[in-house]
mmCIF file of all heavy atoms in Angstrom:
data_model
loop_
_atom_site.group_PDB
_atom_site.id
_atom_site.type_symbol
_atom_site.label_atom_id
_atom_site.label_comp_id
_atom_site.label_asym_id
_atom_site.label_seq_id
_atom_site.Cartn_x
_atom_site.Cartn_y
_atom_site.Cartn_z
ATOM 1 N N GLY A 20 12.999 -10.258 -15.556
ATOM 2 C CA GLY A 20 13.392 -8.869 -15.318
ATOM 3 C C GLY A 20 12.854 -7.877 -16.352
ATOM 4 O O GLY A 20 13.416 -6.815 -16.523
ATOM 5 N N ASN A 21 11.775 -8.241 -17.031
ATOM 6 C CA ASN A 21 11.186 -7.352 -18.042
ATOM 7 C C ASN A 21 10.000 -6.629 -17.395
ATOM 8 O O ASN A 21 8.838 -7.059 -17.486
ATOM 9 C CB ASN A 21 10.723 -8.170 -19.261
ATOM 10 C CG ASN A 21 10.257 -7.306 -20.386
ATOM 11 O OD1 ASN A 21 9.844 -6.173 -20.200
ATOM 12 N ND2 ASN A 21 10.313 -7.858 -21.604
ATOM 13 N N ALA A 22 10.280 -5.527 -16.733
ATOM 14 C CA ALA A 22 9.288 -4.812 -15.936
ATOM 15 C C ALA A 22 8.107 -4.281 -16.766
ATOM 16 O O ALA A 22 6.977 -4.347 -16.345
ATOM 17 C CB ALA A 22 9.925 -3.668 -15.146
ATOM 18 N N ASP A 23 8.388 -3.779 -17.968
ATOM 19 C CA ASP A 23 7.319 -3.231 -18.808
ATOM 20 C C ASP A 23 6.313 -4.310 -19.193
ATOM 21 O O ASP A 23 5.090 -4.144 -19.102
ATOM 22 C CB ASP A 23 7.875 -2.545 -20.045
ATOM 23 C CG ASP A 23 8.616 -1.256 -19.708
ATOM 24 O OD1 ASP A 23 8.342 -0.655 -18.639
ATOM 25 O OD2 ASP A 23 9.462 -0.838 -20.525
ATOM 26 N N ALA A 24 6.839 -5.465 -19.653
ATOM 27 C CA ALA A 24 5.957 -6.559 -20.035
ATOM 28 C C ALA A 24 5.246 -7.144 -18.806
ATOM 29 O O ALA A 24 4.066 -7.534 -18.875
ATOM 30 C CB ALA A 24 6.760 -7.645 -20.750
ATOM 31 N N GLN A 25 5.938 -7.178 -17.694
ATOM 32 C CA GLN A 25 5.339 -7.638 -16.425
ATOM 33 C C GLN A 25 4.148 -6.788 -16.031
ATOM 34 O O GLN A 25 3.089 -7.291 -15.710
ATOM 35 C CB GLN A 25 6.426 -7.618 -15.331
ATOM 36 C CG GLN A 25 5.951 -7.926 -13.953
ATOM 37 C CD GLN A 25 7.104 -7.714 -12.952
ATOM 38 O OE1 GLN A 25 8.271 -7.866 -13.268
ATOM 39 N NE2 GLN A 25 6.770 -7.357 -11.734
ATOM 40 N N ALA A 26 4.328 -5.462 -16.076
ATOM 41 C CA ALA A 26 3.226 -4.548 -15.712
ATOM 42 C C ALA A 26 2.073 -4.678 -16.694
ATOM 43 O O ALA A 26 0.908 -4.695 -16.294
ATOM 44 C CB ALA A 26 3.747 -3.112 -15.700
ATOM 45 N N ALA A 27 2.388 -4.818 -17.975
ATOM 46 C CA ALA A 27 1.323 -4.937 -18.987
ATOM 47 C C ALA A 27 0.496 -6.211 -18.783
ATOM 48 O O ALA A 27 -0.729 -6.198 -18.854
ATOM 49 C CB ALA A 27 1.929 -4.899 -20.385
ATOM 50 N N ALA A 28 1.186 -7.320 -18.523
ATOM 51 C CA ALA A 28 0.482 -8.573 -18.286
ATOM 52 C C ALA A 28 -0.347 -8.531 -17.018
ATOM 53 O O ALA A 28 -1.509 -9.011 -16.996
ATOM 54 C CB ALA A 28 1.468 -9.754 -18.264
ATOM 55 N N ALA A 29 0.200 -7.960 -15.951
ATOM 56 C CA ALA A 29 -0.565 -7.849 -14.716
ATOM 57 C C ALA A 29 -1.768 -6.950 -14.896
ATOM 58 O O ALA A 29 -2.882 -7.260 -14.434
ATOM 59 C CB ALA A 29 0.338 -7.302 -13.592
ATOM 60 N N ASP A 30 -1.596 -5.820 -15.594
ATOM 61 C CA ASP A 30 -2.713 -4.921 -15.870
ATOM 62 C C ASP A 30 -3.818 -5.619 -16.659
ATOM 63 O O ASP A 30 -4.980 -5.486 -16.384
ATOM 64 C CB ASP A 30 -2.258 -3.700 -16.646
ATOM 65 C CG ASP A 30 -2.065 -2.479 -15.768
ATOM 66 O OD1 ASP A 30 -2.612 -2.451 -14.650
ATOM 67 O OD2 ASP A 30 -1.368 -1.555 -16.228
ATOM 68 N N ALA A 31 -3.413 -6.353 -17.696
ATOM 69 C CA ALA A 31 -4.392 -7.069 -18.513
ATOM 70 C C ALA A 31 -5.171 -8.075 -17.715
ATOM 71 O O ALA A 31 -6.386 -8.206 -17.837
ATOM 72 C CB ALA A 31 -3.668 -7.734 -19.694
#
Side-chain angles (χ1 to χ4, degrees):
N21 187 336
D23 291 337
Q25 174 185 330
D30 260 342

